[in-house]
Structures are given as C-alpha cells and as structure tokens.
Amino acid sequence: MSTAGDSRAITPPDIRARKGGVPLVCLTAYTTPIARLVDRHCDIVLVGDSVGMVLHGLPSTLGVTLDMMIMHAKAVRGGLEKALMVVDLPFGSYEESPEQAFRNAARLMAETGCAAVKLEGGEAMAATIQFLGARGIPVMAHIGLTPQAVNAFGGYRVQGRGEDAERIRRDAISVAQAGAFSVVLEKVPEQLARRITSEIGIPTIGIGASPACDGQILVSDDMLGLFSPFRPKFVKRYAELGDQAGAATAAYADEVRKRRFPAAEHVFADAPKDADADATGSGGAA
C-alpha cells in the first residue's frame, strides 16, 4: 500500500519513482464494486483485457474491443480515489502504427479518465511507446508472455528460457529506453526477471516472474477464487469466494423451494412500520 494518509491520486511519475522501493501492489478490476474494494490497498488498478475471459466468457483476450474496455474502465473509474488506473489497449487497436495507437489511446483516456494505458510488446512497440509518451500518454509496457500473441506463441507458455532469454531482455531494455513508466513481466523464468529488474531503470511488475520485481499483479478474480475455469501456477488464492457464493446460492434456492424464504421479517404489513422504510439496498427489483 502507498503512503498512509495520502489522499492524492497516484500518478505515473509516482510509480516510476518507486523503482527499488516498497513493492508496488497491483490488481485488476472491471466493475465499480471491485474497484472500491481494491482501491485502498493498491498502487495500480489495471482494467485488463482479461475482462474478456473473466467476465465475458471469451476463450482468449483477442475478442475484446475498445468499446468493451471503455465501458469497463468507466465503471472502474467510479470506484477509485487513490490508485492509478491503467487501461489495456486491446488487440488490433495499436499495432498498425503509432498514429493508430495514439488515436485509440487518446479516446480511451478522454472517455474514461484513466491516467495511463498498457500495451503488449517489446522492441517492436518501442517506437509506439515513444510516440505516445511524446504526446502526453503514459505507457505501461508488457513483455514476456503477451496474451494477445497467444496464437504466435502456440499457447500460454513460459517465455525467455535458454537462448530466448536475450530476446526478453532486449524487449525490457527497449521499452525502458522508449519511455515506458513501468513494465509487466509475465510468465518468465525467475532468474531472468530478477536480472531484468536489476538492469533497467523503471519498475518491473511481475506476474509469474520473481519476488525481486518492483511490484506484483494478479487478476482479482483469480486472487479471490471467483474464476474457476483454469488456475495458472503463478496464482495464489487468498479466498475461495466462488465456493462460498455457490453454497449461498444453493441455500437460497433450497429455502425458496421449501417456502422458508421470504420469512415474516422480509415482507410488509398493511400498516407501515418504522422497519418498512425504503432501505432496499440495490433498489429491490432486479
């Protein structure tokens, strides 16, 4: 968690200045309620294109659109006060040219109020990162396993083993030199992540990388035990809310079928009582 008692929103330069300091805490969020839950504990909240798999049931992130990212980012913005909000540029929205990336990143920032964008790619995206930075758009880079390139990789495989380590290292150096304020290292060998962290001047944020990274990120639904189709090795579950929600739903269904719910305390009398005040929480009807 960032400095206690500091109500000022965190900025990209703040994150960059944290290199080598207290590890950065980062989580994803796609909705206002989750954003409110994680805001007080996180330095960075990422509206990731993982939303496509987590909330929309897509088989990969490739089907996520810019409109989807904008919709979810608007929801997350409403739940944040402190954490830096970073939003993913989805597949196909930035790879064509730096100019295309600028148009879509500018729209994303203007419509959502995010302070930075994230894009995948190393050396190949260095010119784009530099182009965006020169025009006032802070960029978080993402190298190693880049899920938007899953078809090129042949699956969600560890990147940077053996001779391939030098490619990942060059990617890290390139995005740092291009002006990225931080870089996500995903699913790379621990020693490689440790080496990169020591060699570049911007914070590294690990996911399946190394405890030596300058920060860590997980998908909130993985961390909370809400997403169950698969569980990557690098995920630690800090709760099993999916199991709890399933048990609660089963209990509700059982009570409805046995006419145990609603009980007397959940219905209204003919004459109004103090307890009948319109404290309906979410508004009552769905």
Side-chain angles (χ1 to χ4, degrees), residues 33-65:
I34 295 297
R36 287 175 177 153
L37 284 174
V38 303
D39 180 49
R40 62 178 295 192
H41 303 288
C42 288
D43 300 295
I44 298 172
V45 171
L46 171 68
V47 186
D49 59 0
S50 49
V51 67
M53 301 173 74
V54 175
L55 294 191
H56 294 271
L58 299 178
S60 72
T61 63
L62 299 182
V64 175
T65 66

Side-chain angles (χ1 to χ4, degrees), residues 4-22:
D6 184 1
S7 60
R8 181 179 65 84
I10 296 171
T11 67
D14 293 333
I15 297 300
R16 186 171 189 138
R18 292 276 297 276
K19 175 69 180 179
V22 176

Side-chain angles (χ1 to χ4, degrees), residues 89 93-105 119 124-132 135 137:
L89 284 169
S93 69
Y94 62 94
E95 297 92 336
E96 181 180 335
S97 66
E99 291 79 9
Q100 180 206 31
F102 176 77
R103 287 193 300 272
N104 289 322
L119 58 78
M125 286 294 115
T128 296
I129 292 170
Q130 187 172 24
F131 189 89
L132 294 180
R135 287 156 181 79
I137 298 179

